[in-house]
Amino acid sequence: MKLDKMLGIRYPFIQGGMANIATGEFAAAVSNAGGLGLIGAGGMRAEMLRENIRKCRSLTDRPFGVNLMLMHPEADQMADIVVEEGVKIVTTGAGNPGKYMAKWKANGIKVMPVVSSVVLAKLMERAGADAVIAEGTESGGHVGEMTTMALVPQVVDAVNIPVIAAGGIADGRGVAAVYALGACGVQMGTRLLSAEECPIHAAYKEAVLKAGDNATVVTGRIGGTPVRIIKNQMSREYILKEKAGAGKEELEKYTLGSLRRAVFEGDTKTGSLMAGQVVGLVHKIQPIAEIFAEMEKEYQIVIRNLSQEN
Ligand code: TUI
């Protein structure tokens, strides 16, 4: 079954958790456009998450969810808040949500963890996940090692729950490609950075529109947490230091507060402009509803053309 039917939404598209970007207002805009909006808890304090859930609910009657970033120091509190606030769908990232699963399932929450390996996908299935989001290293932000092309079919073969593909999908061709690999839907982040409703600073949006195929790089592959961002002064200095063997503390000087500097201040020199490799496919600012409609139409054309070839 495709993801739109599973979740009761118009399109089989869910929005990536995008820390500091995916507010309650933005998630509601995604849901109102026919996708599944998710409030990105990364970058929020626990009580802010509660306010964003209430705000989102006031702005949409459609299904929405919360993305919990598990490296967050307040993740335990946030795991309780989603239950208290009656959230129905939770996605997780950057860790293993195993310790929260029993409580979430007991409260009727659909849980869809992001995984970057087959091992974690199987673990999540055993823990009671309703679906997994297999995210390739093409993604923006915190990434694993495997590509979407290699990861998705291996996860599909390894589990009996639905698999949603993420990483490297920004148009209808990408949707058709991951369906061919066995996915039932897609998660998108980068394409939505250029949405009219996306609340990032104008300079960040401009950098997304200008970026080409080779614009991103992964910082922190050697010692820390691998994070894909648009190349800039910060990434160049970080990688030089990283290659020179700098310690965690020295490297943290670059990353501390850097996502907030990009999102809120539009600091394109020292900020972390998180974006995936498909950033080179993002060319214009559009309403979310138009992005989704365009992707659906492209997908239909791709499958028609494929079925006519012989
Ligand atoms: O989580 C993401 N993407 C993110 S989180 C984020 S906020 C952040 N900012 C600065 C530094 C670090 C994070 C920005 N982008 N995607 C989902 C994802 N999860 N990708 C990879 C994983 C993952 C990695 C390891 C999931 C589980 C895991 O290990 C599980 C274990 O056993 O602990």
Side-chain angles (χ1 to χ4, degrees):
M1 197 200 294
K2 289 287 188 268
L3 186 64
D4 43 341
K5 288 226 170 61
M6 271 169 50
L7 299 178
I9 56 180
R10 176 161 178 198
Y11 298 110
F13 304 150
I14 76 175
Q15 165 234 311
M18 302 189 290
N20 285 309
I21 299 174
T23 57
E25 211 166 338
F26 182 64
V30 171
S31 290
N32 285 332
L36 180 74
L38 290 148
I39 299 161
M44 291 182 186
R45 298 296 306 267
E47 284 309 312
M48 254 175 88
L49 172 62
R50 194 190 300 279
E51 286 162 27
N52 276 272
I53 294 168
R54 293 181 180 177
K55 177 91 182 171
C56 188
R57 183 164 286 129
S58 76
L59 295 172
T60 188
D61 296 331
R62 312 251 179 111
F64 70 91
V66 168
N67 171 266
L68 215 60
M69 209 282 273
L70 297 169
M71 279 164 45
H72 196 296
E74 294 177 344
D76 287 353
Q77 280 159 268
M78 290 173 159
D80 289 337
I81 286 175
V82 295
V83 174
E84 289 158 17
E85 294 299 316
V87 170
K88 296 278 180 297
I89 302 171
V90 170
T91 68
T92 65
N96 179 347
K99 65 174 171 173
Y100 307 126
M101 292 294 272
K103 182 167 184 182
W104 286 343
K105 296 311 302 167
N107 284 278
I109 297 177
K110 272 201 171 80
V111 188
M112 309 194 292
V114 172
V115 298
S116 49
S117 68
V118 165
V119 168
L120 191 60
K122 286 168 108 164
L123 203 64
M124 292 299 95
E125 179 180 41
R126 274 205 302 278
D130 297 276
V132 286
I133 303 167
E135 187 184 276
T137 194
E138 296 93 321
S139 301
H142 177 40
V143 291
E145 287 286 341
M146 292 184 70
T147 61
T148 300
M149 184 83 157
L151 178 66
V152 171
Q154 294 187 65
V155 171
V156 166
D157 285 351
V159 298
N160 291 306
I161 50 178
V163 177
I164 298 156
I169 306 151
D171 61 23
R173 294 171 297 183
V175 177
V178 296
Y179 279 179
L181 299 176
C184 69
V186 310
Q187 175 185 282
M188 278 185 281
T190 303
R191 176 79 194 257
L192 295 172
L193 288 175
S194 72
E196 247 170 51
E197 298 92 331
C198 184
I200 57 174
H201 193 282
Y204 189 163
K205 234 176 240 191
E206 198 53 42
V208 166
L209 297 179
K210 273 203 338 232
D213 62 320
N214 207 21
T216 71
V217 66
V218 176
T219 57
R221 273 258 197 247
I222 299 175
T225 309
V227 174
R228 184 178 299 284
I229 58 175
I230 296 178
K231 289 174 192 165
N232 62 1
Q233 180 191 315
M234 191 278 264
S235 72
R236 278 188 287 276
E237 287 177 15
Y238 185 104
I239 285 169
L240 279 176
K241 293 268 187 221
E242 196 179 15
K243 283 184 178 155
K248 215 174 156 178
E249 231 167 70
E250 194 179 349
L251 292 172
E252 271 174 2
K253 275 191 233 147
Y254 292 94
T255 53
L256 205 68
S258 62
L259 178 58
R260 299 182 71 86
R261 282 200 296 281
V263 173
F264 300 120
E265 294 163 29
D267 179 347
T268 56
K269 289 198 173 75
T270 78
S272 284
L273 288 89
M274 295 188 185
Q277 288 185 331
V278 281
V279 71
L281 286 172
V282 181
H283 303 302
K284 57 177 190 253
I285 295 177
Q286 293 169 284
I288 301 165
E290 193 178 302
I291 294 174
F292 288 168
E294 197 174 291
M295 288 182 64
E296 166 76 17
K297 195 167 152 210
E298 285 165 358
Y299 162 74
Q300 296 292 351
I301 293 170
V302 170
I303 56 167
R304 194 175 330 125
N305 289 344
L306 283 174
S307 65
Q308 280 166 4
E309 268 169 32
N310 43 42

